[in-house]
Amino acid sequence: MAAAAAAALRAWFWNERFWLPHNVTWADLAGEPGPPGSGLQYPRAAHVLSAFPLALGIFAVRLLFERFIAKPCAINLGIQDSGPHRAQPNAILEKVFTSITKSPDGKRLEGLSKQLDWDVRKIQRWFRQRRNQDKPTTLTKFCESMWRFTFYFSIFFYGIRFLWTAPWFWDTRQCWYNYPFQPLTSRLYYYYILELAFYWSLMFSQFTDIKRKDFLIMFVHHLATIGLITFSYMNNMVRVGTLVLCLHDASDFLLEAAKLANYAKYQRLCDAFFMLFGVVFIVTRLGIYPFWILNTTLFESWELIGPYPSWWLFNGLLVTLQVLHVIWSYLIIRTAYKALVRGKIGAGQFHPVHVSKDDRSDVESSSEEEDVTSNSTKGIFSTSSNGSNRLNGHVAAGQWTGEE
């Protein structure tokens, strides 16, 4: 009974009329597209399983990279492995913090003030310092960002180098000629599986990384990214998939570079990288993506292969992604405009905007005076992401978000 149910579920999930164009079957894609021994083959669902051990390998490499490369670099830049000031020990406040609330309201603050004979502001400061004790140090954040910068930078230029010799990079109609009977080369396979494995590694590491306020959002984001990459691989839309991957990688490493400069307190360099990130993001997501990617997936593919169920789903996901691009770009432009107004321009020089706070780290000031400074120079970004998607979650609730 169970075997019959499993067989029925398998047949339903792998329905050829959903996944493949008309008159194409899975059996057609089971053979070799080239002569025997050529090593050429079509993408197969089992290939995506190789991303799991590779993801574990990437995670291990990351741990070594952060310890032996990123950390020494951070120390040479003067970034210390020291956290915020620790709150003075207090059993009553500690019990409230661990058992009741980490952010007491006004009524509870008044009660604690009377109980301890402390000023309300002093109690607020204690809770702020206590919350910050659990926050990551700048050194930890620097190491995470340096790892992501290194990967994004490397995979972007690998993608450019690979696509430079790919015919579909120069003529997007090549994505659909003789589709889905398009051989999978080894370089294309490694590029796709490496991207998939990296996002699986982010899924693994998200539970050990710095905890962000948008943890759930980024968890869903990584799932969506993995789903889109896997989906496009299994029905052999990898040619256009490589274009989408490379296009989204173009801005990710710039945001990580801005964050690295911010942690190292190179403010002008941070501002420059952020502005460059904004320009590249808008050009790629509002210009190249709709007029290059969507043009070929919606119109050229319709002309050459015609629509079928998974075609509609694939394009639906890509159009939804474009809607997100518009929203994120609006937030980038609004944020950059506010920063420019705040920074002002005078005497022929641009006064650097303050990109001084990673809001998603949720590190709070340790004094009321710091609160005033933080509010007046509130950061205009936090982190990326890449994703990237891939569905890169860069902005949420009006603030920069990403994969950190």
Side-chain angles (χ1 to χ4, degrees):
M1 186 70 176
L9 179 62
R10 178 184 176 87
W12 171 81
F13 183 80
W14 293 110
N15 190 311
E16 294 166 339
R17 297 287 57 83
F18 171 81
W19 287 95
L20 302 172
H22 301 297
N23 301 321
V24 179
T25 67
W26 292 118
D28 297 331
L29 297 174
E32 293 185 1
S38 65
L40 294 176
Q41 58 183 316
Y42 298 119
R44 292 170 185 164
H47 291 171
V48 300
L49 298 177
S50 61
F52 291 104
L54 184 57
L56 293 175
I58 290 174
F59 184 65
V61 170
R62 171 191 169 169
L63 296 178
L64 296 173
F65 177 90
E66 291 185 355
R67 180 173 181 178
F68 296 107
I69 298 179
K71 186 174 181 179
C73 288
I75 293 174
N76 287 335
L77 290 170
I79 299 174
Q80 301 298 319
D81 190 10
S82 57
H85 297 296
R86 301 185 67 84
Q88 80 179 76
N90 187 290
I92 295 176
L93 296 181
E94 184 68 25
K95 184 176 181 180
V96 172
F97 182 86
T98 56
S99 304
I100 302 176
T101 178
K102 296 181 180 181
S103 301
D105 56 21
K107 184 178 180 180
R108 190 175 298 277
L109 287 172
E110 290 291 343
L112 291 171
S113 176
K114 294 177 181 178
Q115 184 177 357
L116 297 172
D117 196 24
W118 281 18
D119 182 77
V120 169
R121 181 166 294 184
K122 183 178 179 180
I123 297 175
Q124 289 177 318
R125 186 177 297 116
W126 187 95
F127 274 95
R128 186 181 304 113
Q129 291 178 338
R130 182 61 183 84
R131 288 193 297 269
N132 287 340
Q133 284 180 200
D134 301 328
K135 305 304 178 185
T137 64
T138 301
L139 178 64
T140 301
K141 293 188 288 184
F142 181 93
C143 291
E144 281 193 17
S145 285
M146 187 170 178
W147 162 250
R148 277 194 287 271
F149 168 81
T150 302
F151 180 85
Y152 290 142
F153 183 84
S154 302
I155 199 67
F156 171 68
F157 282 98
Y158 175 86
I160 286 291
R161 184 179 178 183
F162 163 68
L163 288 171
W164 197 260
T165 58
W168 61 89
F169 183 71
W170 306 101
D171 178 13
T172 53
R173 295 174 68 88
Q174 294 282 346
C175 293
W176 313 109
Y177 289 149
N178 202 35
Y179 175 84
F181 302 105
Q182 297 171 338
L184 179 71
T185 64
S186 59
R187 293 178 66 195
L188 194 158
Y189 167 80
Y190 291 133
Y191 180 38
Y192 230 78
I193 295 301
L194 184 60
E195 289 271 18
L196 179 60
F198 177 71
Y199 276 92
W200 272 118
S201 75
L202 290 183
M203 287 287 290
F204 302 152
S205 65
Q206 193 173 13
F207 297 95
T208 59
D209 282 349
I210 298 169
K211 292 298 184 293
R212 304 295 185 184
K213 288 183 287 188
D214 64 348
F215 174 88
L216 182 59
I217 294 174
M218 292 311 301
F219 182 81
V220 175
H221 157 258
H222 296 330
L223 280 179
T225 301
I226 290 169
L228 191 55
I229 294 175
T230 303
F231 173 81
S232 60
Y233 185 87
M234 290 194 299
N235 67 356
N236 203 14
M237 289 186 176
V238 291
R239 290 189 176 184
V240 72
T242 58
L243 301 180
V244 176
L245 289 170
C246 189
L247 186 69
H248 284 79
D249 284 331
S251 59
D252 287 349
F253 71 90
L254 294 172
L255 183 57
E256 296 299 333
K259 289 162 53 185
L260 290 174
N262 179 50
Y263 298 145
K265 300 188 184 305
Y266 291 117
Q267 196 60 56
R268 290 183 181 272
L269 184 61
C270 170
D271 300 334
F273 272 125
F274 175 77
M275 291 302 177
L276 182 59
F277 160 77
V279 171
V280 173
F281 186 95
I282 292 170
V283 169
T284 55
R285 311 300 175 89
L286 297 189
I288 299 176
Y289 182 84
F291 293 104
W292 191 44
I293 300 296
L294 292 184
N295 176 66
T296 191
T297 61
L298 286 171
F299 303 111
E300 292 178 348
S301 65
W302 181 290
E303 176 186 346
L304 294 172
I305 65 174
Y308 54 98
S310 67
W311 181 95
W312 287 105
L313 177 59
F314 185 65
N315 278 285
L317 293 172
L318 294 179
V319 171
T320 301
L321 180 56
Q322 178 58 22
V323 173
L324 296 177
H325 290 165
V326 173
I327 296 172
W328 294 333
S329 297
Y330 163 74
L331 293 173
I332 292 174
I333 294 171
R334 187 181 68 174
T335 302
Y337 173 77
K338 290 181 178 179
L340 287 169
V341 170
R342 186 184 305 120
K344 298 182 181 180
I345 299 177
Q349 292 183 338
F350 173 64
H351 292 216
V353 295
H354 296 281
V355 189
S356 59
K357 181 170 178 278
D358 186 345
D359 292 316
R360 295 179 62 238
S361 301
D362 196 25
V363 177
E364 303 171 78
S365 309
S366 59
S367 70
E368 293 302 319
E369 290 77 12
E370 288 174 336
D371 280 346
V372 174
T373 303
S374 176
N375 288 336
S376 64
T377 62
K378 194 168 185 179
I380 61 176
F381 79 91
S382 67
T383 123
S384 147
S385 161
N386 165 138
S388 48
N389 41 36
R390 297 124 8 174
L391 299 169
N392 293 30
H394 288 291
V395 184
Q399 295 185 4
W400 283 102
T401 67
E403 300 173 15
E404 182 174 78

